[in-house]
Amino acid sequence: DTSAETEGDTEEASSEKLVIGFSQVGAESEWRTANTESMKAAITDAGHELKFSDAQQKQENQIKAIRSFIAQKVDAIVFSPVVETGFETVLQEAKDADIPVFLADRSVDIEDDSLWVTFLGSDFVEEGRKAGNWLVDELGDEDEVNIVELQGTVGSAPAIDRKEGFEEIIGDHSNFEITQSQSGDFTRAKGKEVMEAFLKSDGDNIDVLYAHNDDMAIGAIQAIEEYGLKPAEDITIIGVDAVKGAFEAMAAGKMNVTIECNPLFGPQMVDLIEAYKAGEEIPKRVAVEESMYTMDQAEELLPTRQY
Ligand code: GZL
């Protein structure tokens, strides 16, 4: 029965045991931890061998890890680039070694897109637009809206794109102004530190905080409370990721909205790797589906959140 045979063959191809090298950015945020867990579980559950490297948010560690995967002749490399530039050489080395590279979560700013099979990740510009549109709906009629911005890691795709999308929307509203903007490197600690500086320099004139991830927003909330203001009331708080910490802050009435950036794409990534190895056509860009959540939804949704 050829159909069974064909079926068997397809099964056979996708269940071939692969050795997969995964170069992860680091463990800087709740989002990142959830993403690592999703990727590790998906790779091992599918019966493949995982070689994992945590770069501690350092580009040189990612380059070292990719070179090590090449030397070990892995079957595929999955890579979430900490920044958009500076990886051309090592990706060319992977191509020369005939090892396919799959971009996860973040992309690279490289002309030659033959250096990777596909980029599976969120549309960060759209996430920025969603934040901007929510703010316009919320405060668009106010005379003057002073916004401070906690940017993500300098040079990273999410930081560049979330800024771009947000400014695309608020740029049409002259009553909105970003008065201070600095990187908090996607961490709670740095987010708190930079928010303290924002408050010290102009604390009585801050209406909104736009944080490129929830971890920095949560750090900033602590700084706002220590400064003597009420987060989500005196200063409107916008985060990105929709991690559990954000739902807890919103349920406590300390945060207004979080734009979802879904880290749980491990199974989708494994499917793409297996499909490629089975000779199937893979689109150059695969987007991750995601939404946004506000304070009034937090209590009910918190128990359902997986990360
Ligand atoms: C987004 C991801 C970002 C998260 C941060 O896909 O690259 O990095 O928004 C994480 O929490 O540090």
Side-chain angles (χ1 to χ4, degrees):
D1 166 359
T2 49
S3 64
E5 224 167 76
T6 316
E7 168 95 352
D9 289 352
T10 319
E11 269 307 299
E12 202 37 50
S14 68
S15 65
E16 172 207 347
K17 182 181 166 80
L18 301 171
V19 179
I20 299 172
F22 174 29
S23 167
Q24 178 60 297
V25 166
E28 73 282 359
S29 65
E30 287 182 51
W31 188 97
R32 187 63 57 195
T33 311
N35 179 247
T36 295
E37 282 162 17
S38 173
M39 288 289 292
K40 282 183 172 177
I43 290 170
T44 49
D45 289 354
H48 303 306
E49 183 187 335
L50 167 67
K51 292 184 181 298
F52 177 73
S53 152
D54 170 338
Q56 294 164 339
Q57 289 191 285
K58 291 185 175 55
Q59 176 166 40
E60 64 269 20
N61 290 345
Q62 287 205 291
I63 292 171
K64 262 189 228 138
I66 293 171
R67 287 206 164 111
S68 158
F69 296 150
I70 294 169
Q72 297 176 69
K73 298 188 178 359
V74 298
D75 297 304
I77 291 170
V78 184
F79 162 50
S80 176
V82 60
V83 292
E84 285 191 331
T85 56
F87 288 107
E88 295 84 333
T89 305
V90 74
L91 292 183
Q92 185 60 52
E93 289 167 18
K95 183 179 177 186
D96 295 345
D98 213 11
I99 298 175
V101 172
F102 296 77
L103 296 181
D105 163 35
R106 299 182 183 178
S107 189
V108 287
D109 182 10
I110 297 177
E111 269 308 297
D112 177 7
D113 69 4
S114 75
L115 294 181
W116 63 90
V117 172
T118 186
F119 163 42
L120 167 63
S122 301
D123 179 344
F124 303 130
V125 178
E126 185 53 28
E127 290 169 353
R129 292 193 195 98
K130 285 179 185 172
N133 282 319
W134 179 86
L135 190 59
V136 168
D137 290 349
E138 198 69 16
L139 300 176
D141 301 335
E142 301 292 312
D143 294 342
E144 191 186 293
V145 178
N146 294 324
I147 303 159
V148 295
E149 179 182 34
L150 284 171
Q151 297 180 35
T153 302
V154 175
S156 69
I160 293 165
D161 293 354
R162 285 171 185 163
K163 184 171 189 51
E164 178 190 322
F166 185 72
E167 289 178 347
E168 178 189 307
I169 300 301
I170 66 159
D172 296 337
H173 297 263
S174 55
N175 56 330
F176 283 11
E177 186 190 355
I178 296 179
T179 54
Q180 301 183 78
S181 180
Q182 195 182 323
S183 176
D185 211 17
F186 283 132
T187 67
R188 288 192 183 199
K190 200 87 174 73
K192 179 178 182 188
E193 193 186 304
V194 175
M195 190 66 202
E196 284 164 351
F198 287 164
L199 289 161
K200 196 153 170 254
S201 75
D202 194 19
D204 300 336
N205 298 305
I206 299 174
D207 304 307
V208 179
L209 164 64
Y210 171 48
H212 290 185
N213 83 332
D214 294 333
D215 286 69
M216 294 190 291
I218 291 163
I221 285 166
Q222 287 166 12
I224 291 166
E225 291 180 311
E226 287 168 13
Y227 182 78
L229 291 176
K230 284 193 174 49
E233 291 176 35
D234 300 325
I235 298 179
T236 297
I237 312 276
I238 305 172
V240 185
D241 282 348
V243 295
K244 212 166 271 175
F247 281 80
E248 285 157 355
M250 291 195 289
K254 297 182 178 180
M255 187 169 177
N256 300 87
V257 61
T258 179
I259 312 301
E260 188 178 38
C261 177
N262 192 328
L264 307 181
F265 54 65
Q268 213 177 344
M269 178 53 85
V270 171
D271 288 348
L272 286 166
I273 295 169
E274 289 178 347
Y276 177 80
K277 283 289 183 182
E280 289 172 35
E281 257 317 287
I282 305 293
K284 211 69 190 166
R285 177 76 175 91
V286 180
V288 174
E289 295 309 314
E290 48 209 24
S291 178
M292 59 185 279
Y293 304 98
T294 52
M295 183 190 279
D296 57 304
Q297 297 171 285
E299 191 120 13
E300 180 206 343
L301 289 178
L302 179 54
T304 71
R305 297 300 294 170
Q306 297 173 61
Y307 68 93

